[in-house]
Amino acid sequence: MSEAIQIIPPTDIQGDIAPIDTGRARAYAEASKATNTTRAYASDFRDFAEWCARNEVSPLPANFGTVAAFLAYSADRGLKASTVSRKASAIRFAHRAKGFPSPTESAEVEVTLRGIRRHLGTAAKQKAPAIATNIAVMLSRAPNNAHGKRDRALIALGFAGAFRRSELVALNVADLTFTDEGVDVMVRRSKTDQEGEGFVKSIPAGNAIKPVLLLREWIESAGIESGHVFRRVRRGGAVGAESLTPQSVALIVKRYAEVSGLDPAAFAGHSLRAGFVTSAAEAGADINRIMDQSGHRDPRTVRTYIRRANRYRDHAGSAFL
């Protein structure tokens, strides 16, 4: 006869188990979202909580009627459909984090969001791509001082690697491996790589933009041996230790667009990335090779740039228009 299974009372085993640390679990849960997303969610939920306080209703837990009314209020304030949708995501995230059912999953909230998207439209307003010819002019406008050398390296590398702003400002000297043919850049974390597996972007030396030469010139002239690659430069040309911010990248691109005779309002940090993809498409590069460099996961996004770049080439009406 088999022995009976012995059930050990919980009181007999509690002393052998470490106290449960719910704080650490909460910290890891918060880390599941990118820093920018977490910051946006916190701001969005604060907006929701303040609206609830003014209307004397509960923000957490909230009922679906409260959330639907808040989203309608947000849309009436002139916010974009994507921003309203993000606010709904923030409310969902806050409820799940506290163990409450999410009111955003109700039919009333879903119908409200669908109506907002239809009413406001969901087309994103894209910044203009800084194509290769634009980049060449921008580089020629940079002064030959610390600010100019940093900006030349930033613009040239950002374009050549189709980098996101966040990827550029996160680069450290240890992430760069110079070779006879160019430089290999390790991107340790990206928008499409939130778990930090990392991937390498290879940048050729080039004959026109010369991103590797400009990068070397900046690092050597600034005396940077470790730490952040792209740093703040103080008045007088002193190079600090702190990194530029993603917003700094956007402002630098806008400034050089303006001095190059372009509309600064049409350009931003994303223009470097969009410019590489557009220039590569115009040159007939294979979509897979473009994605290798840009790090795009969805080919549909890249095809949008390719269609724009080739919109007059092999046009259906070329033979008779």
Side-chain angles (χ1 to χ4, degrees):
M1 180 182 295
S2 60
E3 296 182 1
I5 297 175
Q6 183 180 8
I7 306 298
I8 302 175
T11 54
D12 293 342
I13 63 175
Q14 285 178 352
D16 297 328
I17 299 178
I20 297 174
D21 187 354
T22 56
R24 292 299 298 154
R26 190 159 47 248
Y28 281 121
E30 291 173 354
S32 69
K33 296 291 183 183
T35 302
N36 288 343
T37 301
T38 303
R39 189 181 299 118
Y41 277 9
S43 176
D44 288 335
F45 191 78
R46 187 162 53 249
D47 189 19
F48 175 58
E50 290 171 354
W51 179 88
C52 287
R54 292 195 301 272
N55 289 276
E56 299 181 344
V57 292
S58 171
L60 193 67
N63 64 47
F64 58 82
T66 296
V67 175
F70 170 72
L71 297 177
Y73 159 79
S74 299
D76 290 342
R77 286 165 57 195
L79 300 181
K80 295 186 295 185
S82 59
T83 303
V84 177
S85 294
R86 192 191 66 212
K87 289 183 180 297
S89 297
I91 295 170
R92 180 187 305 113
F93 183 75
H95 277 74
R96 289 179 174 174
K98 292 296 184 180
F100 295 124
S102 174
T104 61
E105 295 172 3
S106 69
E108 182 172 342
V109 172
E110 290 179 356
V111 168
T112 301
L113 274 174
R114 193 155 54 243
I116 289 170
R117 293 189 190 106
R118 176 169 295 189
H119 178 70
L120 298 180
T122 57
K125 185 177 180 180
Q126 298 289 340
K127 290 297 182 181
I131 60 175
T133 51
N134 299 145
I135 295 296
V137 177
M138 288 182 184
L139 296 178
S140 71
R141 298 292 189 270
N144 194 32
N145 55 21
H147 277 101
K149 290 177 181 179
R150 180 203 62 192
D151 295 348
R152 277 199 296 263
L154 178 76
I155 291 171
L157 186 69
F159 172 78
F163 284 101
R164 295 181 174 88
R165 298 179 305 166
S166 58
E167 295 169 354
L168 277 174
V169 299
L171 288 180
N172 284 314
V173 174
D175 300 327
L176 308 176
T177 302
F178 290 96
T179 69
D180 292 339
E181 297 178 89
V183 62
D184 293 327
V185 182
M186 168 60 76
V187 180
R188 299 196 180 277
R189 190 177 293 275
S190 182
K191 181 179 179 181
T192 55
D193 177 29
Q194 292 297 330
E195 296 186 2
E197 294 181 8
F199 61 98
V200 174
K201 291 191 176 189
S202 297
I203 313 297
N207 295 315
I209 304 300
K210 299 182 180 178
V212 180
L213 176 65
L214 295 177
L215 179 62
R216 277 188 179 277
E217 182 183 58
W218 157 242
I219 292 174
E220 292 172 2
S221 65
I224 300 173
E225 296 181 354
S226 62
H228 297 297
V229 174
F230 295 112
R231 309 179 177 199
R232 293 182 181 276
V233 177
R234 301 185 180 91
R235 289 184 179 180
V239 179
E242 63 274 22
S243 170
L244 292 175
T245 66
Q247 180 63 17
S248 299
V249 177
L251 294 175
I252 288 170
V253 172
K254 284 179 175 294
R255 182 164 67 248
Y256 283 95
E258 184 173 19
V259 298
S260 300
L262 303 170
D263 178 9
F267 291 81
H270 184 70
S271 296
L272 301 178
R273 179 173 169 81
F276 174 86
V277 176
T278 301
S279 297
E282 289 177 343
D286 179 76
I287 186 172
N288 294 314
R289 296 296 290 160
I290 295 175
M291 292 175 67
D292 284 344
Q293 191 71 350
S294 67
H296 280 103
R297 296 290 181 87
D298 190 342
R300 289 175 298 182
T301 305
V302 181
R303 288 194 185 101
T304 300
Y305 292 105
I306 294 176
R307 280 195 297 272
R308 177 180 173 82
N310 296 332
R311 62 191 183 279
Y312 299 122
R313 188 179 301 170
D314 298 326
H315 192 280
S318 296
F320 55 85
L321 291 178

